[in-house]
Every structure is written in C-alpha cells, then in structure tokens.
Amino acid sequence: MRFALMLLLALAATILLTLMPNVADQMIRIQAFGWVFEAHQGAFIVALLVLLAVFWLVRALISALVAGPGQVWQGLRAGSRRRREAHLREGLAAWLDLRDDHGAKAMRKASGVIPDWALGMLRILAIPAKDQELPGQHADPLHVALAARIATDPGTSSRPDPARRKAHLEAWLSVHPGAPLALQRLADLAEEEGDWTTAGRMLEEQWKRGHRAGSGIKLRLARAYVAQAAQDPAQEMHHLRKALRLAPDDAEVVAAMGHAMLRAGNLTAVQKLWLQHVESHGDMGIARELLSLYREDAMKQYRRMEGKDAAGMNATYQWLRAQLAQAANLPGLARDHLQALLDLHPGPMAWQAMGDWHAAQGDWQQATRCYQQALDSGAKPD
C-alpha cells in the first residue's frame, strides 16, 4: 500500500513538472550550518522521490533476508487463507442452521479455498440419510451438524429410526446450541412420537427466539398444550389455560377447554365460552356441541336469541337459533328462522337444515328436494 502511494506521488510530481517547466527550472536554495545547497526544483523533487524508493527497497530486502524468502511468501498467503477459511466456516454454519441469509454473504468472501474439514463435509454429503453415522466425541461441529441435517431430513424417502434421529439432533444442538432447524426437527420428532412435553418445550424455545412466524408457532404450541392436558389430567386446566391464551380463536382449543369445564361441572362457563366462539367465528363443530347442551333447556335458551336481528348474525348462529326453536317444539318459528337463513346464506348448511325440518314434519318429498339442493350446492353427504 505504501509503495503504491509512493508511485502515485511520483507520477503526480512528474505530470506537474511536465505541465509547468518554468516551475521545474526555478532554483531552490537551502542554507544550514554554514552549508548552502542549490538545485533546480524539478531535479530536487525527483531526487527526493528516488531516495524514498531506494530506502523502501533496502528495507524490504533486509526484512526478506532476515525472515527468509519462503517465510515471506507464506506470511503473505497465510493471512488471506485463514480469513477465507473463517468466512467459509461461518457461511456453512449459517447454512446448516438456517440462520440469517443462510450464509450467502460469508460464502462470497470464502472463494478459492477448500480446507480439509470442507472435504470431510463433501464426503458426508455423499452418504444416504439412513447410513449417516453418529459423530464421535471429537468430531468437527460442522460434520456433526451436516450429518444430523441429512439424517433428519423430512423429505428423504428413507430415514433412520426415531431414536437415532433424536440422537443426531441432540448432537447437533450440543455443538450449535439453539440452532433453529434442529429445534424445529426435534419438535417434529417429538410430535411424531407423541412426546408432547418435549414438543411443547421445543416449540416454546423456537417461539421465544423468534425462529418461526408468530401465528403459526403459537397455534402449534397451543395444540401441544391441549395434547399435554390429555396426557396429564392433574394439570389439565393449567395446560388448557395456556393454550387458550395463545389461540383463543382456535376451535380445537376452545372445544378442549369446554369439555374440561364440563368435567369440572362448570356448565355456565362452558355455554358462555362456546356461545361467544359461535357468535365470533361461526364454527359449526362448536355450534353442534353447544346445541347438545342447550337441548335440556331449549325454550329458555331460544328466548334469549329470539329477538335478535338475523342480518347481524352469522349463518351458524342463525342455524343454532332455528335448531333451538325446533327443539323447543316451535316448528313454525323454526321454519321462519330457516327461511331467513336461506335468504341470507343460501348454502349447503341452510338447505340441509331445511331438509331436516321437513323430515321432522313428515314431508319427505320436500325434504328430498332440500337435500338435493344441499348436494348440488356442494355439501358432503351427512
């Protein structure tokens, strides 16, 4: 760098003196300690640059003689190679763990170098997933991560058994703690084995680290809590409350919480929870569950819904009101509600409900026509 700068200065001085010959021919006079030095400015500047170049060359030669010619060359190469190897390791680690830009930036800085440990990775890449060996105690961390990634790849046709995949993933996390892809696959494996405690722990770790989209991981974690509640009756309500906080709009979570409340004898809370869900989300599964609870006191529950405007109700809520009217032995009102449902939401659910009403009245011809309309509009046979 210094030599290049000196060459640029010499070139600039030469151009300047060539463009201004009068300046170059002017005399410069230096007087000190009784000595007087006179010279042309151009010649003085050129001599000074030559003197600096000779000084740099002598210094470089002395350094080379002291270090030896081989050492000088190795020193120049070693620093660059070490830097490129470091970038390559960094890029491969990011690619294996699916971090940040998957190592693209670091890989670009590592061009032109393939160290021995990278050749080992290339050998691992050639081994099928089912034949990947568990790493030794002193194996290279990159080799451990790569072997685990290949062995646990969900897209491969033949994978090792779950116990071996779990060992690979634990080894991966031991060398790369918190690796997002390792946590994800360990959670997948735990779900596959029905180990919902481990699945929940892995999903919690991913959520806290922000490794997955928030809404997707929250729903999956909530359902893991539901599964934990089924496996651990003593802590059932604790797990279900956590699930409901994470996914208050999910029908599976809401249904599980309702059934737990029923087992605890809290009927009023269940009815409130499920009715709110039907009003907000129109889930037919929850509506059928709620109808089974309301049948014992159908008239009272119907009176609470009777005066509501159909235009402000979703289709499932209107269906529930019509079914309650039918259960309360109010067939005329049930028919009116079903007709309003057909007018506002003409679909399979409305036609099937109207068919059920006609069947209850013994009008099988009209019931058949309604069921055919339901099938024509896309309903599955029920």
Side-chain angles (χ1 to χ4, degrees):
M1 182 65 185
R2 295 176 182 175
F3 183 65
L5 180 60
M6 188 170 60
L7 288 177
L8 289 175
L9 288 174
L11 180 61
T14 303
I15 294 173
L16 180 65
L17 295 174
T18 303
L19 295 176
M20 294 183 291
N22 293 333
V23 175
D25 290 336
Q26 290 180 4
M27 299 297 292
I28 182 172
R29 189 170 185 273
I30 301 175
Q31 183 174 354
F33 305 107
W35 291 84
V36 178
F37 176 78
E38 292 185 351
H40 293 284
Q41 290 192 70
F44 176 76
I45 293 173
V46 172
L48 184 60
L49 291 173
V50 170
L51 182 62
L52 291 173
V54 170
F55 174 76
W56 179 86
L57 183 60
V58 170
R59 181 182 174 187
L61 287 173
I62 292 174
S63 299
L65 289 173
V66 172
Q71 186 68 26
V72 174
W73 177 247
Q74 290 297 326
L76 292 174
R77 293 189 61 191
S80 175
R81 182 179 180 85
R82 281 195 296 269
R83 286 193 297 273
R84 286 183 291 168
E85 281 193 32
H87 287 309
L88 183 58
R89 287 185 69 90
E90 178 187 346
L92 287 172
W95 172 73
L96 287 170
D97 299 341
L98 288 184
R99 297 183 193 271
D100 303 328
D101 62 349
H102 301 177
K105 183 177 179 181
M107 289 288 193
R108 287 195 295 270
K109 297 179 181 178
S111 59
V113 55
I114 299 291
D116 293 339
W117 52 264
L119 293 175
M121 295 187 73
L122 294 177
R123 286 192 290 271
I124 292 173
L125 284 170
I127 301 174
K130 61 183 178 63
D131 297 328
Q132 290 290 341
E133 297 290 338
L134 288 171
Q137 185 176 0
H138 303 291
D140 190 295
L142 290 179
H143 295 177
V144 174
L146 180 59
R149 176 166 178 160
I150 294 173
T152 59
D153 184 1
T156 189
S157 57
S158 58
R159 291 183 294 173
D161 60 83
R164 194 166 180 180
R165 277 183 280 153
K166 185 175 182 180
H168 271 292
L169 291 169
E170 289 174 346
W172 185 355
L173 287 171
S174 69
V175 296
H176 290 167
L181 187 57
L183 291 173
Q184 174 185 332
R185 291 187 178 175
L186 195 56
D188 295 341
L189 181 59
E191 289 179 346
E192 179 183 330
E193 295 181 313
D195 183 1
W196 293 105
T197 301
T198 300
R201 189 173 67 253
M202 293 298 101
L203 291 169
E204 284 175 352
E205 185 73 13
Q206 292 179 69
W207 183 34
K208 290 175 183 176
R209 292 173 178 267
H211 291 155
R212 282 188 171 184
S215 58
I217 195 70
K218 285 171 65 176
L219 178 57
R220 194 172 169 190
L221 180 57
R223 291 182 175 175
Y225 287 147
V226 171
Q228 288 182 46
Q231 293 179 345
D232 185 11
Q235 295 292 321
E236 181 181 35
M237 292 305 297
H238 171 69
H239 293 308
L240 291 175
R241 287 191 190 99
K242 291 199 296 184
L244 195 61
R245 282 196 297 269
L246 285 174
D249 300 333
D250 183 66
E252 181 180 330
V253 173
V254 171
M257 176 59 88
H259 288 301
M261 289 177 174
L262 280 177
R263 287 190 290 272
N266 199 345
L267 179 62
T268 303
V270 177
Q271 291 176 345
K272 181 180 178 181
L273 175 66
W274 283 353
L275 183 61
Q276 287 177 347
H277 189 80
V278 171
E279 286 182 306
S280 301
H281 304 287
D283 185 84
M284 181 55 72
I286 298 295
R288 293 184 188 278
E289 296 267 16
L290 186 57
L291 179 61
S292 66
L293 298 181
Y294 279 168
R295 285 189 184 278
E296 296 181 3
D297 195 8
M299 181 63 74
K300 179 181 177 181
Q301 301 300 336
Y302 170 73
R303 293 303 180 191
R304 292 178 176 177
M305 301 180 181
E306 182 182 12
K308 292 189 177 182
D309 183 14
M313 302 162 62
N314 60 49
T316 305
Y317 197 90
Q318 290 184 56
W319 173 88
L320 179 61
R321 182 172 66 172
Q323 296 301 315
L324 283 174
Q326 183 72 11
N329 199 24
L330 301 171
L333 290 174
R335 175 70 170 76
D336 293 341
H337 293 320
L338 289 172
Q339 188 59 53
L341 175 60
L342 273 173
D343 292 341
L344 292 172
H345 306 282
M349 178 183 66
W351 281 113
Q352 184 170 344
M354 183 64 83
D356 292 341
W357 185 88
H358 283 294
Q361 305 308 310
D363 189 349
W364 298 106
Q365 184 175 359
Q366 286 296 328
T368 302
R369 186 182 67 83
C370 291
Y371 289 146
Q372 187 60 52
Q373 287 282 357
L375 289 172
D376 292 343
S377 56
K380 295 180 181 180
D382 191 358

